[in-house]
């Protein structure tokens, strides 16, 4: 290593010098020897060591945790201080916390909010807000960059289409006559449905249903885009939920695809015990107005992380698609926090329990 002579100067430590300090301390080299080798004063070395100390698990059963100097951490702190003019780090010296956050985002595909929410659910103390975590990622404090984030750091803009009323639907009830209570997301049981398609030329599709209040997702792989397949899924859901189906599925809103046009088949119950044989209400959004089913669109983008566009959906097994659905439903969601829940699955189960309580 070529070390410039700069005794007592105010030059910054390089990463190579910090790495040398880390190795030297592991080998129990004295601070005086390190200072002499790097041409810094001992005061400079002590200050640098203090800056780069992190808490690490002990190497023996007698020591649970110990402070050690880490070159990577010291380098990140230095970069942040240069960009923030010396502001302190809320993450402190907890390298275990930094590594956990990096693991959740890189390996589990979590967003910064989801990662922090998971740690809070596990009673991790002294956490910071999502904005602070984004600041750390931008400044290089963590071993992450924007490409590691699920949405690549891009904000999805909602666009209102100029062709809202360009075409008229021939059948079914318009979203314009849908009850106002559906829009405010305070009442449980209102769903949005869609199909996601695969590569051009492939027939296999995935049917998706999302509950507006809890964000619960239901998916089903279908061999092709046909009305019979969609009605069949609604039928199977009625068998699953039984008499509570109409409480769980009060309304469903679709787009104008031909596969959703059998509104009579979707609305009509298979059970003769139901009065007027009606089990739900079907509504249709305006043509070219996907924003009217915004929750479904956002969830479909979520699903696309694991089922990318341009891929043949037939290549994915039903079990894989259900595993992805389970991952989404157990993913920490900021939008259900006001319900006292961390995930869509928890929020959905809470609503089901309330229905059972009310009908028992």
């Amino acid at each position: 290593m070529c070390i410039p002579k700069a005794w007592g100067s105010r030059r910054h430590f390089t990463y190579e010098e910090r790495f040398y300090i880390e190795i030297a301390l592991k080998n129990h080299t004295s601070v005086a020897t390190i200072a002499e080798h790097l041409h810094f004063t001992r005061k400079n070395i002590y200050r640098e060591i203090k800056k780069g100390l992190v808490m690490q698990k002990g190497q023996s059963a007698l020591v649970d945790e110990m402070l050690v100097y880490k070159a990577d951490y010291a380098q990140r702190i230095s970069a942040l201080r240069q960009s923030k003019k010396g502001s302190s780090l809320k993450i402190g010296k907890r390298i275990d916390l930094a590594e956990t956050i990096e693991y959740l985002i890189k390996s589990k595909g979590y967003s910064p909010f989801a990662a922090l929410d998971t740690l809070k659910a596990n009673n991790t103390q002294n956490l910071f807000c999502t904005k602070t975590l984004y600041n750390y990622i931008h400044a290089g404090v963590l071993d992450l960059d924007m490409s590691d984030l699920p949405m690549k750091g891009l904000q999805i803009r909602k666009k209102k289409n100029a062709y809202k009323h360009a075409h008229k639907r021939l059948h079914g009830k318009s979203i314009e006559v849908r009850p106002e209570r559906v829009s405010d997301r305070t009442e449980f049981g209102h769903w949005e449905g869609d199909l996601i398609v695969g590569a051009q030329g492939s027939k296999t599709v995935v049917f998706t249903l999302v509950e507006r209040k809890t964000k619960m997702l239901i998916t089903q792989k279908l061999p092709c885009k046909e009305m019979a397949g969609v009605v069949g899924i609604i039928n199977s859901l009625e068998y699953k939920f039984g008499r509570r189906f109409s409480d769980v599925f009060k309304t469903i809103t679709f787009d104008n695809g031909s596969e959703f046009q059998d509104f009579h088949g979707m609305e009509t119950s298979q059970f003769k015990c139901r009065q007027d044989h009606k089990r739900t209400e079907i509504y249709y959004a305006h043509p070219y107005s996907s924003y009217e089913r915004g929750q479904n669109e956002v969830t479909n983008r979520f699903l696309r992380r694991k089922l990318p566009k341009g891929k043949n959906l037939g290549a994915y097994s039903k079990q894989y698609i259900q595993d992805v659905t389970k991952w989404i439903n157990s993913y920490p969601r900021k939008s259900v926090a006001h319900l006292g829940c961390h995930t869509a699955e928890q929020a959905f189960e809470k609503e089901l329990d309330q229905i059972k309580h009310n009908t028992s």
Side-chain angles (χ1 to χ4, degrees):
M1 183 191 306
C2 180
I3 305 296
K5 293 185 178 182
W7 288 92
S9 73
R10 295 178 60 85
R11 71 176 179 84
H12 297 292
F13 285 87
T14 65
Y15 177 76
E16 288 76 12
E17 290 168 339
R18 291 187 169 109
F19 185 70
Y20 171 82
I21 294 174
E22 179 182 333
I23 299 302
L25 292 175
K26 284 182 180 179
N27 294 329
H28 308 290
T29 304
S30 69
V31 170
T33 302
I34 295 173
E36 182 178 2
H37 182 81
L38 296 181
H39 305 295
F40 278 95
T41 65
R42 281 179 291 180
K43 184 177 180 180
N44 292 147
I45 302 299
Y46 277 119
R47 186 183 295 117
E48 172 62 25
I49 292 173
K50 182 179 179 180
K51 180 173 67 178
L53 287 176
V54 296
M55 191 66 69
Q56 183 173 277
K57 291 183 178 180
Q59 301 298 318
S60 68
L62 299 177
V63 180
D64 292 331
E65 292 182 326
M66 57 187 298
L67 283 170
V68 297
Y69 176 87
K70 288 291 185 180
D72 287 342
Y73 182 76
Q75 188 73 12
R76 294 173 193 172
I77 296 295
S78 178
L80 184 73
R81 286 182 175 177
Q82 290 180 46
S83 63
K84 297 291 183 180
K85 297 183 179 179
S87 58
S88 60
L89 285 178
K90 295 180 181 179
I91 199 170
K93 298 183 178 300
R94 297 189 55 188
I95 196 170
D96 59 327
L97 178 59
E99 290 176 344
T100 301
I101 292 172
E102 291 165 358
Y103 167 75
L104 290 173
I105 292 177
K106 278 190 172 182
S107 300
K108 301 289 287 184
Y110 279 22
S111 68
F113 168 81
L116 291 178
D117 192 70
T118 299
L119 292 170
K120 290 176 183 176
N122 292 327
N123 298 316
T124 302
Q125 301 298 316
N126 301 323
L127 284 178
F128 35 84
C129 67
T130 306
K131 184 177 185 301
T132 298
L133 179 51
Y134 272 105
N135 289 340
Y136 288 169
I137 294 172
H138 280 295
V141 174
L142 298 171
D143 186 19
L144 297 167
D145 56 44
M146 299 309 287
S147 66
D148 295 312
L149 305 187
M151 298 302 293
K152 312 301 182 188
L154 299 177
Q155 293 293 325
I156 304 300
R157 297 180 179 179
K158 295 181 180 179
K159 297 182 179 179
K160 292 189 175 182
N161 199 290
Y163 303 102
K164 180 176 179 179
H165 303 291
H167 300 277
K168 293 184 178 180
R169 188 176 38 262
L170 298 179
H171 305 287
K173 296 186 291 292
S174 168
I175 194 173
E176 293 179 2
V177 299
R178 192 179 68 177
E180 284 296 325
R181 68 179 185 275
V182 179
S183 300
D184 60 17
R185 301 175 189 269
T186 58
E187 184 180 67
F188 172 73
H190 302 290
W191 299 72
E192 297 171 0
D194 197 11
L195 291 180
I196 63 172
V197 299
Q200 187 174 4
S202 63
K203 294 184 177 182
T204 305
V205 296
V206 175
F207 175 77
T208 66
L209 270 181
V210 185
E211 203 282 318
R212 286 172 57 84
K213 181 179 179 181
T214 64
K215 315 300 186 289
M216 183 69 175
L217 171 65
I218 294 173
T219 63
Q220 181 66 52
K221 183 179 179 181
L222 290 173
C224 59
K225 296 170 64 174
E226 288 185 353
M227 288 187 288
V230 174
V231 174
I233 293 174
I234 306 299
N235 289 343
S236 65
L237 289 172
E238 187 180 26
Y239 276 117
K240 178 179 178 179
F241 289 94
R243 294 181 178 180
R244 297 190 177 95
F245 178 87
S246 292
D247 295 316
V248 179
F249 296 87
K250 296 172 183 174
T251 70
I252 308 175
T253 302
F254 293 106
D255 64 20
N256 288 268
S258 60
E259 63 275 10
F260 301 128
Q261 289 302 312
D262 187 6
F263 66 92
H264 181 75
M266 290 187 283
E267 289 184 339
T268 304
S269 173
Q270 305 163 90
F271 303 143
K272 295 181 180 180
C273 60
R274 290 192 187 277
Q275 295 182 354
D276 73 12
H277 303 296
K278 200 165 189 178
R279 58 188 175 188
T280 188
E281 296 281 350
I282 302 298
Y283 295 93
Y284 296 95
H286 293 101
Y288 309 106
S289 303
S290 60
Y291 63 89
E292 292 182 333
R293 296 175 298 100
Q295 190 57 55
N296 195 223
E297 291 296 310
V298 169
T299 306
N300 284 350
R301 285 196 290 268
F302 213 154
L303 196 58
R304 285 293 192 184
R305 299 186 195 178
K306 305 296 183 180
L307 302 174
K309 289 185 177 180
K311 298 290 185 179
N312 182 0
L313 297 180
Y316 299 101
S317 68
K318 289 184 178 180
Q319 185 59 53
Y320 175 80
I321 293 172
Q322 292 309 306
D323 288 344
V324 172
T325 305
K326 177 71 174 177
W327 172 72
I328 292 174
N329 287 331
S330 60
Y331 190 98
R333 306 290 285 273
K334 185 176 182 179
S335 53
V336 298
H338 68 286
L339 303 177
C341 303
H342 293 282
T343 68
E345 187 175 42
Q346 291 174 356
F348 186 74
E349 290 298 327
K350 186 176 181 180
E351 294 290 343
L352 289 185
D353 289 342
Q354 186 62 43
I355 291 174
K356 292 176 183 177
H357 175 76
N358 293 339
T359 56
S360 60

